[in-house]
């Protein structure tokens, strides 16, 4: 199975990289940009074929390594490989 994981900063957490991107976009003439938040996208393939077991495995990966759950949220989509 394949998981597509999106990790973003929680609201209220400062995002200096997002601010830098926003500034660069304004410098390039994209004046309508009012806010930018950056994050991470990770694809993980697991050998597990049972969707519930795969979800549990992906949850553990996110909680233990992929996301800093103090300051980040994560969401994922699971699909058969």
């Amino acid at each position: 199975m394949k998981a597509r994981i999106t990790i973003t900063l929680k609201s209220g957490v400062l995002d200096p990289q997002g601010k830098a991107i926003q500034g660069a976009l304004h410098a390039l003439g994209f004046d309508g940009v009012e806010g930018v938040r950056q994050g991470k996208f990770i694809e993980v393939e697991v050998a597990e074929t049972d969707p519930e077991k795969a979800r549990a495995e992906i949850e553990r990966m996110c909680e233990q390594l992929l996301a800093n759950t103090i300051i980040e949220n994560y969401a994922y989509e699971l699909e058969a490989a």
Side-chain angles (χ1 to χ4, degrees):
M1 302 204 88
K2 182 185 284 188
R4 290 185 172 89
I5 305 164
T6 303
I7 301 168
T8 56
L9 289 169
K10 291 182 177 181
S11 62
V13 175
L14 295 177
D15 185 358
Q17 191 171 4
K19 287 290 184 191
I21 294 167
Q22 181 178 352
L25 289 170
H26 284 181
L28 292 170
F30 297 100
D31 297 325
V33 176
E34 296 180 358
V36 176
R37 303 281 288 174
Q38 65 85 37
K40 298 181 271 188
F41 175 77
I42 302 169
E43 282 188 351
V44 177
E45 289 190 39
V46 295
E48 183 59 62
T49 57
D50 180 282
E52 290 307 311
K53 289 180 181 177
R55 286 182 202 288
E57 197 170 347
I58 297 300
E59 288 280 338
R60 282 196 320 274
M61 288 178 196
C62 290
E63 294 285 330
Q64 293 179 14
L65 177 68
L66 301 178
N68 177 350
T69 57
I70 295 170
I71 62 169
E72 295 175 320
N73 292 316
Y74 66 88
Y76 60 89
E77 298 173 359
L78 195 61
E79 69 177 40

